[in-house]
Amino acid sequence: MLAALTFNTAENLPVGLLELISEDLRVSLSAVGLLVTGYGVTVAIASVPIAHVVRAVPRRHVLTGLLAALVVSSLIAALATSYWLLLGARLLTALAQALFWAVMGPVAVGLFAPKVRGRVVGALSVAGSLALVLGVPAGSWLGQQSNWQVPIATLAALGLVCLVTVSVLLPTSRPEEEPAAYASSPDVRRFRTVPAAGTLSATGAFTGYTYIVTFLGDVSGFSPRAVSALFVVFGVACLAGVSITGAFLDRFPQTALAAAVATQAVGMLALYAFGAHPVAAVVFLMLMGGALGPVFMTTQNAMLHCAPGRTDIARTSPWRRTPAPTTPG
């Protein structure tokens, strides 16, 4: 759970440090935005090839290597004195995250009985959602109090804690012998539908999230300080969404997925239609945030149930992190 929080914070942290990085490295905001876009593109492209390369490696060794890459890349990023070195470090982190979520899910749920696996997916999603509620806001605040390198170095420290814990405590077994290595109800037709829905939802969600600062400022009329507060509101809504969904995921997995996708669509369409009104903007921003985490967790849960082959390979589908095209500015 701590590793999920750390990886998700690492992914989104530049959104809260845009101006600091731009001023320090003397590059445009759009160039800094590539730190997010390039990250997403790398995850989408690299996830499947990397998963196949390490498909026979014990999961404990894989997770140890991924967390080591997170620590090293975060240290390089924290020490970077040029934009290109920072971008290279970000891409190394992205390569690690490309495989992390695919491997981590089956390993974690395999430690528990099948009847509670939905709750385990929910717990992992809560941890990931805390990146928006706690990780990114805390990192942004820390950067404002010091410099942008400090929160990135902090991520390296958190990654080191995860690295030591996993390498010491996680059992070692062959990937095909993991309890959750294969789906409980393989279904090729459903498997094709789930990633397709997840891809479309993720594309909309992360594109919208990339532009949300500009939208709330220019369209809804919020001040920069208010926008920062709304980021926390967005994260809290996301956390509430995954907490509520997790309680029903084991009993109503298909309904939970459909409800999450529908809620996201309503929230984003309504934000577009009524976003010029501040009160409406806050309401539908919360609806959008409340669906973001559940879309991910319900899709992940569905993949664990319907994947026709190994679940870790199935979970590397590009929908996991669909890149947003640009960043505000």
Side-chain angles (χ1 to χ4, degrees):
M1 290 175 70
L2 179 60
L5 167 64
T6 305
F7 263 112
N8 276 16
T9 300
E11 178 181 9
N12 295 291
L13 187 57
V15 174
L17 302 174
L18 285 178
E19 294 186 0
L20 292 175
I21 297 175
S22 175
E23 293 174 1
D24 186 50
L25 299 182
R26 298 180 180 179
V27 294
S28 67
L29 289 175
S30 296
V32 180
L34 289 176
L35 298 175
V36 180
T37 305
Y39 195 110
V41 170
T42 301
V43 171
I45 294 175
S47 55
V48 174
I50 294 177
H52 280 280
V53 169
V54 302
R55 64 184 181 276
V57 181
R59 303 293 89 172
R60 184 172 72 88
H61 300 334
V62 171
L63 284 173
T64 300
L66 296 178
L67 291 167
L70 171 64
V71 173
V72 172
S73 61
S74 296
L75 287 176
I76 294 174
L79 298 173
T81 56
S82 71
Y83 171 78
W84 294 108
L85 182 58
L86 177 58
L87 178 60
R90 289 280 299 169
L91 296 183
L92 177 58
T93 307
L95 287 174
Q97 185 162 345
L99 186 58
F100 171 76
W101 279 102
V103 174
M104 181 272 296
V107 169
V109 301
L111 299 173
F112 297 85
K115 65 180 180 180
V116 298
R117 286 178 179 175
R119 275 182 258 173
V120 177
V121 172
L124 296 173
S125 297
V126 167
S129 299
L130 281 173
L132 297 177
V133 181
L134 177 62
V136 174
S140 300
W141 177 84
L142 188 58
Q144 293 289 344
Q145 303 305 309
S146 51
N147 55 59
W148 62 266
Q149 292 95 338
V150 172
I152 296 177
T154 302
L155 294 178
L158 293 176
L160 183 60
V161 173
C162 300
L163 170 60
V164 172
T165 303
V166 168
S167 63
V168 172
L169 298 180
L170 192 68
T172 302
S173 61
R174 295 177 59 84
E176 64 273 15
E177 296 173 352
E178 294 279 350
Y182 296 95
S184 55
S185 303
D187 187 327
V188 175
R189 183 177 179 181
R190 187 182 173 202
F191 173 73
R192 292 172 179 169
T193 302
V194 170
T199 298
L200 292 173
S201 298
T203 300
F206 285 98
T207 299
Y209 181 70
T210 299
Y211 291 107
I212 200 65
V213 173
T214 297
F215 185 92
L216 293 173
D218 295 350
V219 177
S220 304
F222 290 103
S223 66
R225 179 174 296 182
V227 170
S228 297
L230 289 176
F231 259 106
V232 178
V233 171
F234 182 91
V236 170
C238 183
L239 181 60
V242 296
S243 300
I244 294 171
T245 304
F248 298 97
L249 196 54
D250 287 309
R251 288 181 291 172
F252 310 105
Q254 296 188 45
T255 302
L257 174 57
V261 173
T263 300
Q264 177 190 303
V266 170
M268 297 189 73
L269 285 171
L271 191 61
Y272 164 76
F274 306 107
H277 305 282
V279 175
V282 173
V283 171
F284 295 119
L285 178 70
M286 292 178 65
L287 202 61
M288 174 184 168
L292 181 62
V295 166
F296 161 64
M297 66 182 289
T298 54
T299 307
Q300 291 275 293
N301 187 62
M303 299 284 271
L304 289 171
H305 283 284
C306 70
R310 284 257 298 274
T311 54
D312 53 354
I313 301 298
R315 285 158 58 92
T316 56
S317 300
W319 69 268
R320 170 60 191 95
R321 275 290 183 267
T322 301
T326 62
T327 290

